[in-house]
């Protein structure tokens, strides 16, 4: 069973960035929109005008301490399992791709809303978990059918 190191690093990185935001005077409960944009939140008019990096940086920003708390609980919950199942590298690739796709969807859906948070990446992990469960169930059913067919021969 490999270490759950990437999950821990992602958690620490999200918390550390939020800590830096607090140290710079951001309101912990309701950060100002302009402050979030300054820190790298996803905002269509800026993102689509050459600041594409916002689709990555927004995955590590959170809109208040409760947003951070709930996302980190969810990341800890699903991240450890998914990292052990996929391995650290594949887990990180899934996390980052899901987060980037979530950012693209956010800009496409409503480009004038400022978005931030790890939710897109975390939903991607839960999607990977669902795929694992469906595949595992199908494999169990296949094994059961194979056992029945050999037993009836």
């Amino acid at each position: 069973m490999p270490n759950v190191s990437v999950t821990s690093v992602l958690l620490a990185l999200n918390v550390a960035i939020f800590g830096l935001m607090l140290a710079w005077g951001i309101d912990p409960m309701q950060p100002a929109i302009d402050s979030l944009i300054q820190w790298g939140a996803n905002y269509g008019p800026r993102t689509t005008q050459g600041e594409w990096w916002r689709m990555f940086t927004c995955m590590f920003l959170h809109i208040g301490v409760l947003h951070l708390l709930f996302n980190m609980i969810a990341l800890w919950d699903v991240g450890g399992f998914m990292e052990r199942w996929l391995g650290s590298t594949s887990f990180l690739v899934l996390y980052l791709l899901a987060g980037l796709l979530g950012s693209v969807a956010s800009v496409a859906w409503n480009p004038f809303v400022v978005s931030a948070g790890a939710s897109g990446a975390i939903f991607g992990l839960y999607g990977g978990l669902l795929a694992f469960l469906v595949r595992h169930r199908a494999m169990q059913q296949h094994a059961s059918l194979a056992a029945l067919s050999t037993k009836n021969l």
Side-chain angles (χ1 to χ4, degrees), residues 10-137:
L10 289 171
L11 282 160
L13 188 58
N14 278 282
V15 171
I17 289 172
F18 193 75
L20 286 172
M21 291 171 69
L22 293 178
W24 282 85
I26 303 281
D27 184 334
M29 297 306 285
Q30 227 172 8
I33 297 297
D34 60 331
S35 296
L36 291 167
I37 291 171
Q38 185 179 12
W39 274 87
N42 197 8
Y43 179 55
R46 304 273 298 264
T47 303
T48 59
Q49 295 300 313
E51 295 180 12
W52 297 100
W53 50 268
R54 291 179 174 281
M55 290 193 292
F56 177 77
T57 56
C58 72
M59 291 189 288
F60 300 95
L61 302 176
H62 287 83
I63 305 172
V65 70
L66 292 177
H67 185 215
L68 174 71
L69 177 67
F70 287 122
N71 272 343
M72 294 306 97
I73 289 170
L75 176 57
W76 183 256
D77 183 48
V78 70
F81 173 78
M82 292 302 289
E83 185 174 355
R84 283 188 294 273
W85 179 58
L86 294 173
S88 294
T89 302
S90 295
F91 166 77
L92 183 59
V93 168
L94 173 62
Y95 183 88
L96 293 175
L97 281 177
L100 288 172
L101 288 173
S103 294
V104 168
S106 179
V107 167
W109 186 263
N110 195 341
F112 298 104
V113 170
V114 174
S115 65
S119 302
I122 293 167
F123 279 120
L125 295 178
Y126 277 109
L129 176 60
L130 179 62
F132 167 78
L133 294 173
V134 167
R135 182 175 179 209
H136 182 70
R137 182 173 182 207

